[in-house]
Amino acid sequence: MKKELFLSKLSLCLLIISPSVWAVGANCKQPTSELDKRICQSTTLTAANEALNVAFHNQRAWLCQDAEILRREDGWDCMAAKEDFWAEQQQWDKSVLAQCKTDDCFTRAYQARIAQINGQDTPLPNFRLTTYGWGDKECQAYLKVLNRTPKEDFRGCKLPNLTDSGFKTLPFKAVEGELLKQLDRQIAQLNHKEQTNWQGQLKRYQSGYIKMEMAYLDIDGDGKKERLVRYSRPDVFCEGLGYDEDVDDKSKRWRELGQEVVLKKALEHGYHRDYYIVGDDGKLKSVGKRSKNRLAFFEDKVFSFTKNGVVATLKPADLGAKVYVKMDYIKSIDKGRAEESWCGFWYNY
């Protein structure tokens, strides 16, 4: 891990000091090379440069993430692959980009290189599938949803518009009365807490600050519909963190905002949602162990979307990883294991 971190930092330093004509990550405040100056003077080239920056670092990070696990049995050397990819990019700098003399040539070169990196003849839209999920119609259907959704419309804990996608959401209805109190007490216990001020908690339900809803679903395919409970609460991570924000500082500021402001943020960015099955004995059993789940139907299957936040401005060289969207198949609730990885997507550019 330390060796990989060192090589990663070394590669980034080489990118900054290299005399290569490639200007990915060009500093437009102090442009140095002629190509830097050319890019910084053109909004079109700046956008193309940023797109290539994301595509390159996405693919480079991918070599040592899930791809390493998938190819481990084949003796996959992700660090060697990273170095080969870096050398390939430097060769492209010299043999292709350095030969351009016009903005049109630069633009076409960027587009072609992005398409080449992404393994597709034409530039990709916002998202692409990871190496699992190919051929599954559910994955292809949600890929279309992702790629028709404007980047600025994504919210950390909200599903995008599913109209005409094949996906449908469940008709949840609010839980009320004594059942609400009983289930709220169980949720508190599951989170190692006690229900000490029920009247205060009830006011939070009534204001919409927190929600408890129920729907009926045959989640384990036994022909009998179970009572499915959805518990929703505001979460600082639904809004997301800025690049310069510290988690603890953001959480502290979030708590100081007050219930009314936090509620507005939850309505905009979505709620953290946990799902439970109510057994015949009235006891709750968690459906899935991952946070911020959103459930949706596709034909006769139920899927959980466990990561759906997309930041508006990406800095892949700083992040060192892709921004994922994951979709898991809810197949059973036996032994507390409910989810099976089904397909994944990563943000392209």
Side-chain angles (χ1 to χ4, degrees), residues 5 39 65 109 143 149 151-152 163 169 249 299 301 334:
L5 181 61
I39 287 173
Q65 292 186 24
L143 181 63
T149 304
K151 183 169 60 177
E152 59 272 13
T163 303
T169 54
D249 290 342
E299 296 182 351
K301 295 179 180 178
D334 294 337

Side-chain angles (χ1 to χ4, degrees), residues 179-189 195 198 201 205 210 212 231 284:
L179 180 59
L180 174 64
K181 183 177 181 180
Q182 293 175 1
L183 296 180
D184 180 83
R185 182 185 297 116
Q186 288 191 54
I187 290 175
Q189 291 172 349
Q195 187 192 77
W198 170 241
Q201 185 78 333
Y205 279 113
I210 55 176
M212 189 183 298
Y231 178 71
L284 292 177

Side-chain angles (χ1 to χ4, degrees), residues 7-282:
L7 290 174
S8 177
K9 290 182 177 180
L10 176 62
S11 295
L12 183 59
C13 290
L14 290 173
L15 174 63
I16 295 173
I17 65 176
S18 172
S20 169
V21 297
W22 189 36
V24 170
N27 182 2
C28 287
K29 293 181 179 179
Q30 295 179 331
T32 54
S33 71
E34 289 302 315
L35 183 57
D36 284 6
K37 297 174 182 177
R38 185 72 170 268
I39 287 173
C40 298
Q41 291 171 357
S42 168
T43 56
T44 300
L45 291 185
T46 299
N49 180 74
E50 291 176 355
L52 179 56
N53 189 355
V54 172
F56 175 80
H57 286 286
N58 270 352
Q59 187 62 19
R60 195 167 184 272
W62 178 243
L63 293 171
C64 279
Q65 292 186 24
D66 285 0
E68 180 185 15
I69 298 172
L70 291 170
R71 304 182 189 185
R72 183 173 295 163
E73 295 180 358
D74 299 329
W76 175 255
D77 186 342
C78 73
M79 292 307 299
K82 275 191 171 185
E83 295 307 312
D84 290 344
F85 187 48
W86 180 255
E88 175 189 321
Q89 185 59 50
Q90 290 180 312
Q91 179 61 35
W92 182 86
D93 301 345
K94 299 173 183 177
S95 62
V96 178
L97 198 63
Q99 307 308 313
C100 285
K101 304 300 180 184
T102 66
D103 284 7
D104 182 62
C105 178
F106 283 123
T107 300
R108 285 186 285 107
Y110 274 121
Q111 291 174 344
R113 179 56 179 160
I114 291 169
Q116 183 182 22
I117 289 174
N118 291 326
Q120 191 164 307
D121 292 337
T122 56
L124 284 163
N126 291 342
F127 286 86
R128 62 180 289 187
L129 271 164
T130 60
T131 52
Y132 67 100
W134 290 100
D136 292 318
K137 55 186 176 181
E138 304 92 346
C139 303
Q140 296 294 341
Y142 198 63
L143 181 63
K144 291 181 180 179
V145 172
L146 294 173
N147 283 328
R148 76 184 187 190
T149 304
K151 183 169 60 177
E152 59 272 13
D153 288 353
F154 280 96
R155 296 293 182 266
C157 297
K158 270 187 177 180
L159 287 175
N161 188 339
L162 299 176
T163 303
D164 298 325
S165 66
F167 287 95
K168 297 180 180 179
T169 54
L170 293 168
F172 281 94
K173 293 184 179 180
V175 178
E176 299 177 338
E178 184 62 25
L179 180 59
L180 174 64
K181 183 177 181 180
Q182 293 175 1
L183 296 180
D184 180 83
R185 182 185 297 116
Q186 288 191 54
I187 290 175
Q189 291 172 349
L190 289 170
N191 289 279
H192 309 289
K193 298 178 181 179
E194 292 185 10
Q195 187 192 77
T196 56
N197 182 6
W198 170 241
Q199 291 303 316
Q201 185 78 333
L202 180 59
K203 289 181 180 179
R204 284 189 282 271
Y205 279 113
Q206 292 171 340
S207 70
Y209 183 80
I210 55 176
K211 302 178 182 181
M212 189 183 298
E213 301 157 293
M214 185 179 292
Y216 292 85
L217 174 68
D218 181 11
I219 198 168
D220 53 10
D222 64 355
K224 177 184 176 182
K225 289 186 176 181
E226 289 83 23
R227 289 183 292 174
L228 180 67
V229 171
R230 180 172 72 186
Y231 178 71
S232 307
R233 57 181 172 79
D235 190 324
V236 62
F237 293 107
C238 292
E239 182 184 23
L241 296 172
Y243 289 110
D244 299 324
E245 287 187 292
D246 177 82
V247 175
D248 292 336
D249 290 342
K250 177 66 179 288
S251 297
K252 180 181 178 181
R253 288 195 297 272
W254 176 274
R255 290 192 296 270
E256 294 172 349
L257 292 175
Q259 184 172 311
E260 185 176 342
V261 176
V262 170
L263 175 57
K264 290 181 179 179
K265 289 183 177 293
L267 293 174
E268 179 182 359
H269 298 284
Y271 289 82
H272 176 119
R273 285 173 169 170
D274 296 311
Y275 291 84
Y276 304 89
I277 291 293
V278 184
D280 293 335
D281 58 358

